[in-house]
Amino acid sequence: MTETFESPQEEEIAEQLATEQELYQTEQQLIDFHNEGIQYGHPSYIKYGIVTLLGLITEGTDFLDLIGIGVLVSKPVALFLTAVIFLIFWLTNTKQKGADDYVAKAEELVEAVATNLAHIERRAFQTAKIARRLGATRFAARIRISSRLVRSNPLFKFAAAGVANLIPFLAVFPWVLLGICLSYRDEKKSYQNAHETAREIAEQIPEVQNL
């Protein structure tokens, strides 16, 4: 039985190939994550156009509170329209949750990448240059800053505004429109956070910058 022995040079080449393959997989993981976050743009103009129109109708009926018997008409209408708007927000909240989860996952991903690069660096001295090129430590610190953003709940804010709008005479203030504006601001901020996190990844990986 003949045994085959690899020369030191062959072992070094095999190690380099394994390192390059592992590096490629790490970069591809970050590229895929970047591509996911860059898709978050802005809230749906159609959705907010619809809820704003419903909000304007709701606020218009609230002025009937100034007439004694008008409360009997305005409150059922306001309650129905507020419920419809809340239902629209509830059914379309998935994308915002995804954006918030994306920012939350960023720190875990970068920590995993940094750990993997440290493992590569221990395996071969020359891969230390690769790790430094990726800037793992600096990148992880920047992502932690973004991932500490507080999650907001637009459904709760709109629900609170909707309840205030059902209180007689107090409903003269445009609570529903205020709740819609706050919901839009929170949703837009969630998408901006996800988009900025993706940009931070792009700033670290040359392959992403060339996409």
PDB file of all heavy atoms in Angstrom, residues 15 21 51 56-57 59 62 66 81 83-84 119 133 135 146 149 179 188 198 211:
ATOM      1  N   GLU A  15      -4.062  25.370   1.978  1.00  0.00           N
ATOM      2  CA  GLU A  15      -4.493  26.249   3.057  1.00  0.00           C
ATOM      3  C   GLU A  15      -4.936  27.601   2.513  1.00  0.00           C
ATOM      4  O   GLU A  15      -5.953  28.169   2.953  1.00  0.00           O
ATOM      5  CB  GLU A  15      -3.350  26.430   4.054  1.00  0.00           C
ATOM      6  CG  GLU A  15      -3.688  27.330   5.240  1.00  0.00           C
ATOM      7  CD  GLU A  15      -4.716  26.714   6.159  1.00  0.00           C
ATOM      8  OE1 GLU A  15      -4.841  25.472   6.176  1.00  0.00           O
ATOM      9  OE2 GLU A  15      -5.411  27.480   6.859  1.00  0.00           O
ATOM     10  N   GLN A  21     -11.636  30.533   0.054  1.00  0.00           N
ATOM     11  CA  GLN A  21     -13.014  30.075  -0.041  1.00  0.00           C
ATOM     12  C   GLN A  21     -13.833  30.543   1.158  1.00  0.00           C
ATOM     13  O   GLN A  21     -14.980  30.986   1.014  1.00  0.00           O
ATOM     14  CB  GLN A  21     -13.052  28.542  -0.121  1.00  0.00           C
ATOM     15  CG  GLN A  21     -14.444  27.937  -0.174  1.00  0.00           C
ATOM     16  CD  GLN A  21     -15.207  28.336  -1.422  1.00  0.00           C
ATOM     17  OE1 GLN A  21     -14.607  28.680  -2.433  1.00  0.00           O
ATOM     18  NE2 GLN A  21     -16.529  28.287  -1.361  1.00  0.00           N
ATOM     19  N   VAL A  51     -55.175  56.238   4.029  1.00  0.00           N
ATOM     20  CA  VAL A  51     -55.465  56.484   5.449  1.00  0.00           C
ATOM     21  C   VAL A  51     -55.600  57.980   5.738  1.00  0.00           C
ATOM     22  O   VAL A  51     -56.368  58.383   6.618  1.00  0.00           O
ATOM     23  CB  VAL A  51     -54.383  55.856   6.359  1.00  0.00           C
ATOM     24  CG1 VAL A  51     -54.365  54.344   6.203  1.00  0.00           C
ATOM     25  CG2 VAL A  51     -53.002  56.440   6.076  1.00  0.00           C
ATOM     26  N   LEU A  56     -59.093  62.500   7.107  1.00  0.00           N
ATOM     27  CA  LEU A  56     -59.735  63.787   6.848  1.00  0.00           C
ATOM     28  C   LEU A  56     -61.254  63.687   6.986  1.00  0.00           C
ATOM     29  O   LEU A  56     -61.900  64.594   7.533  1.00  0.00           O
ATOM     30  CB  LEU A  56     -59.369  64.276   5.452  1.00  0.00           C
ATOM     31  CG  LEU A  56     -57.919  64.751   5.262  1.00  0.00           C
ATOM     32  CD1 LEU A  56     -57.633  65.009   3.792  1.00  0.00           C
ATOM     33  CD2 LEU A  56     -57.648  66.007   6.093  1.00  0.00           C
ATOM     34  N   ILE A  57     -61.807  62.584   6.505  1.00  0.00           N
ATOM     35  CA  ILE A  57     -63.253  62.374   6.656  1.00  0.00           C
ATOM     36  C   ILE A  57     -63.614  62.256   8.133  1.00  0.00           C
ATOM     37  O   ILE A  57     -64.614  62.822   8.595  1.00  0.00           O
ATOM     38  CB  ILE A  57     -63.697  61.120   5.882  1.00  0.00           C
ATOM     39  CG1 ILE A  57     -63.447  61.312   4.391  1.00  0.00           C
ATOM     40  CG2 ILE A  57     -65.169  60.827   6.146  1.00  0.00           C
ATOM     41  CD1 ILE A  57     -63.730  60.067   3.565  1.00  0.00           C
ATOM     42  N   GLU A  59     -61.979  63.474  10.718  1.00  0.00           N
ATOM     43  CA  GLU A  59     -61.859  64.778  11.372  1.00  0.00           C
ATOM     44  C   GLU A  59     -63.017  65.699  10.977  1.00  0.00           C
ATOM     45  O   GLU A  59     -63.466  66.529  11.786  1.00  0.00           O
ATOM     46  CB  GLU A  59     -60.521  65.434  11.003  1.00  0.00           C
ATOM     47  CG  GLU A  59     -59.282  64.644  11.411  1.00  0.00           C
ATOM     48  CD  GLU A  59     -59.151  64.481  12.917  1.00  0.00           C
ATOM     49  OE1 GLU A  59     -59.942  65.084  13.670  1.00  0.00           O
ATOM     50  OE2 GLU A  59     -58.259  63.737  13.347  1.00  0.00           O
ATOM     51  N   ASP A  62     -65.991  65.107  13.133  1.00  0.00           N
ATOM     52  CA  ASP A  62     -65.813  65.509  14.532  1.00  0.00           C
ATOM     53  C   ASP A  62     -66.383  66.892  14.819  1.00  0.00           C
ATOM     54  O   ASP A  62     -66.707  67.210  15.963  1.00  0.00           O
ATOM     55  CB  ASP A  62     -64.328  65.474  14.918  1.00  0.00           C
ATOM     56  CG  ASP A  62     -63.803  64.046  14.996  1.00  0.00           C
ATOM     57  OD1 ASP A  62     -64.622  63.135  15.190  1.00  0.00           O
ATOM     58  OD2 ASP A  62     -62.581  63.863  14.870  1.00  0.00           O
ATOM     59  N   LEU A  66     -69.861  69.854  17.911  1.00  0.00           N
ATOM     60  CA  LEU A  66     -70.239  71.191  18.355  1.00  0.00           C
ATOM     61  C   LEU A  66     -71.754  71.367  18.352  1.00  0.00           C
ATOM     62  O   LEU A  66     -72.273  72.284  18.975  1.00  0.00           O
ATOM     63  CB  LEU A  66     -69.578  72.244  17.456  1.00  0.00           C
ATOM     64  CG  LEU A  66     -68.041  72.185  17.407  1.00  0.00           C
ATOM     65  CD1 LEU A  66     -67.519  73.219  16.423  1.00  0.00           C
ATOM     66  CD2 LEU A  66     -67.455  72.405  18.798  1.00  0.00           C
ATOM     67  N   LEU A  81     -64.381  54.520  11.054  1.00  0.00           N
ATOM     68  CA  LEU A  81     -63.249  54.902  10.211  1.00  0.00           C
ATOM     69  C   LEU A  81     -61.916  54.713  10.933  1.00  0.00           C
ATOM     70  O   LEU A  81     -60.919  54.312  10.316  1.00  0.00           O
ATOM     71  CB  LEU A  81     -63.407  56.357   9.763  1.00  0.00           C
ATOM     72  CG  LEU A  81     -64.568  56.643   8.809  1.00  0.00           C
ATOM     73  CD1 LEU A  81     -64.631  58.127   8.477  1.00  0.00           C
ATOM     74  CD2 LEU A  81     -64.421  55.832   7.525  1.00  0.00           C
ATOM     75  N   ALA A  83     -61.319  52.445  13.159  1.00  0.00           N
ATOM     76  CA  ALA A  83     -61.072  50.998  13.151  1.00  0.00           C
ATOM     77  C   ALA A  83     -60.539  50.543  11.794  1.00  0.00           C
ATOM     78  O   ALA A  83     -59.652  49.686  11.719  1.00  0.00           O
ATOM     79  CB  ALA A  83     -62.354  50.247  13.500  1.00  0.00           C
ATOM     80  N   VAL A  84     -61.072  51.134  10.721  1.00  0.00           N
ATOM     81  CA  VAL A  84     -60.600  50.785   9.376  1.00  0.00           C
ATOM     82  C   VAL A  84     -59.132  51.192   9.205  1.00  0.00           C
ATOM     83  O   VAL A  84     -58.318  50.420   8.676  1.00  0.00           O
ATOM     84  CB  VAL A  84     -61.472  51.457   8.300  1.00  0.00           C
ATOM     85  CG1 VAL A  84     -60.847  51.276   6.917  1.00  0.00           C
ATOM     86  CG2 VAL A  84     -62.880  50.880   8.319  1.00  0.00           C
ATOM     87  N   HIS A 119     -10.809  33.608  13.328  1.00  0.00           N
ATOM     88  CA  HIS A 119     -10.444  32.200  13.154  1.00  0.00           C
ATOM     89  C   HIS A 119      -9.542  32.024  11.940  1.00  0.00           C
ATOM     90  O   HIS A 119      -8.548  31.288  11.982  1.00  0.00           O
ATOM     91  CB  HIS A 119     -11.715  31.362  12.999  1.00  0.00           C
ATOM     92  CG  HIS A 119     -11.452  29.926  12.681  1.00  0.00           C
ATOM     93  ND1 HIS A 119     -10.864  29.057  13.577  1.00  0.00           N
ATOM     94  CD2 HIS A 119     -11.699  29.208  11.549  1.00  0.00           C
ATOM     95  CE1 HIS A 119     -10.756  27.863  13.020  1.00  0.00           C
ATOM     96  NE2 HIS A 119     -11.257  27.924  11.799  1.00  0.00           N
ATOM     97  N   ARG A 133      -8.260  44.246   5.901  1.00  0.00           N
ATOM     98  CA  ARG A 133      -8.905  44.904   4.766  1.00  0.00           C
ATOM     99  C   ARG A 133     -10.411  45.020   4.989  1.00  0.00           C
ATOM    100  O   ARG A 133     -11.040  46.012   4.631  1.00  0.00           O
ATOM    101  CB  ARG A 133      -8.641  44.106   3.479  1.00  0.00           C
ATOM    102  CG  ARG A 133      -9.321  44.712   2.268  1.00  0.00           C
ATOM    103  CD  ARG A 133      -8.831  44.049   0.994  1.00  0.00           C
ATOM    104  NE  ARG A 133      -9.212  42.661   0.924  1.00  0.00           N
ATOM    105  CZ  ARG A 133     -10.394  42.238   0.471  1.00  0.00           C
ATOM    106  NH1 ARG A 133     -11.295  43.130   0.099  1.00  0.00           N
ATOM    107  NH2 ARG A 133     -10.673  40.967   0.400  1.00  0.00           N
ATOM    108  N   GLY A 135     -11.771  45.285   7.876  1.00  0.00           N
ATOM    109  CA  GLY A 135     -12.020  46.186   8.992  1.00  0.00           C
ATOM    110  C   GLY A 135     -13.064  45.658   9.941  1.00  0.00           C
ATOM    111  O   GLY A 135     -14.007  46.359  10.284  1.00  0.00           O
ATOM    112  N   SER A 146     -25.778  51.774  15.386  1.00  0.00           N
ATOM    113  CA  SER A 146     -27.051  51.807  14.674  1.00  0.00           C
ATOM    114  C   SER A 146     -28.069  50.863  15.302  1.00  0.00           C
ATOM    115  O   SER A 146     -29.245  51.156  15.323  1.00  0.00           O
ATOM    116  CB  SER A 146     -26.843  51.423  13.205  1.00  0.00           C
ATOM    117  OG  SER A 146     -26.015  52.360  12.566  1.00  0.00           O
ATOM    118  N   LEU A 149     -30.878  51.570  18.267  1.00  0.00           N
ATOM    119  CA  LEU A 149     -32.061  52.396  18.057  1.00  0.00           C
ATOM    120  C   LEU A 149     -33.279  51.751  18.713  1.00  0.00           C
ATOM    121  O   LEU A 149     -33.467  50.543  18.657  1.00  0.00           O
ATOM    122  CB  LEU A 149     -32.309  52.573  16.558  1.00  0.00           C
ATOM    123  CG  LEU A 149     -31.239  53.390  15.840  1.00  0.00           C
ATOM    124  CD1 LEU A 149     -31.388  53.228  14.343  1.00  0.00           C
ATOM    125  CD2 LEU A 149     -31.339  54.849  16.231  1.00  0.00           C
ATOM    126  N   GLY A 179     -52.066  60.975  14.640  1.00  0.00           N
ATOM    127  CA  GLY A 179     -51.653  59.572  14.740  1.00  0.00           C
ATOM    128  C   GLY A 179     -51.105  59.043  13.432  1.00  0.00           C
ATOM    129  O   GLY A 179     -50.132  58.277  13.414  1.00  0.00           O
ATOM    130  N   LYS A 188     -41.068  55.459   8.384  1.00  0.00           N
ATOM    131  CA  LYS A 188     -39.987  56.006   7.564  1.00  0.00           C
ATOM    132  C   LYS A 188     -38.646  55.863   8.270  1.00  0.00           C
ATOM    133  O   LYS A 188     -37.628  55.534   7.648  1.00  0.00           O
ATOM    134  CB  LYS A 188     -40.268  57.475   7.253  1.00  0.00           C
ATOM    135  CG  LYS A 188     -39.225  58.129   6.353  1.00  0.00           C
ATOM    136  CD  LYS A 188     -39.584  59.586   6.066  1.00  0.00           C
ATOM    137  CE  LYS A 188     -38.546  60.236   5.175  1.00  0.00           C
ATOM    138  NZ  LYS A 188     -38.875  61.658   4.892  1.00  0.00           N
ATOM    139  N   ALA A 198     -27.345  48.992   5.825  1.00  0.00           N
ATOM    140  CA  ALA A 198     -26.841  48.390   4.584  1.00  0.00           C
ATOM    141  C   ALA A 198     -25.717  49.223   3.988  1.00  0.00           C
ATOM    142  O   ALA A 198     -24.738  48.694   3.451  1.00  0.00           O
ATOM    143  CB  ALA A 198     -27.992  48.240   3.590  1.00  0.00           C
ATOM    144  N   LEU A 211     -21.327  46.907  -6.687  1.00  0.00           N
ATOM    145  CA  LEU A 211     -22.603  46.386  -7.154  1.00  0.00           C
ATOM    146  C   LEU A 211     -23.382  47.473  -7.880  1.00  0.00           C
ATOM    147  O   LEU A 211     -23.330  48.611  -7.521  1.00  0.00           O
ATOM    148  CB  LEU A 211     -23.417  45.822  -5.971  1.00  0.00           C
ATOM    149  CG  LEU A 211     -22.845  44.554  -5.312  1.00  0.00           C
ATOM    150  CD1 LEU A 211     -23.724  44.156  -4.137  1.00  0.00           C
ATOM    151  CD2 LEU A 211     -22.748  43.423  -6.320  1.00  0.00           C
TER     152      LEU A 211
END
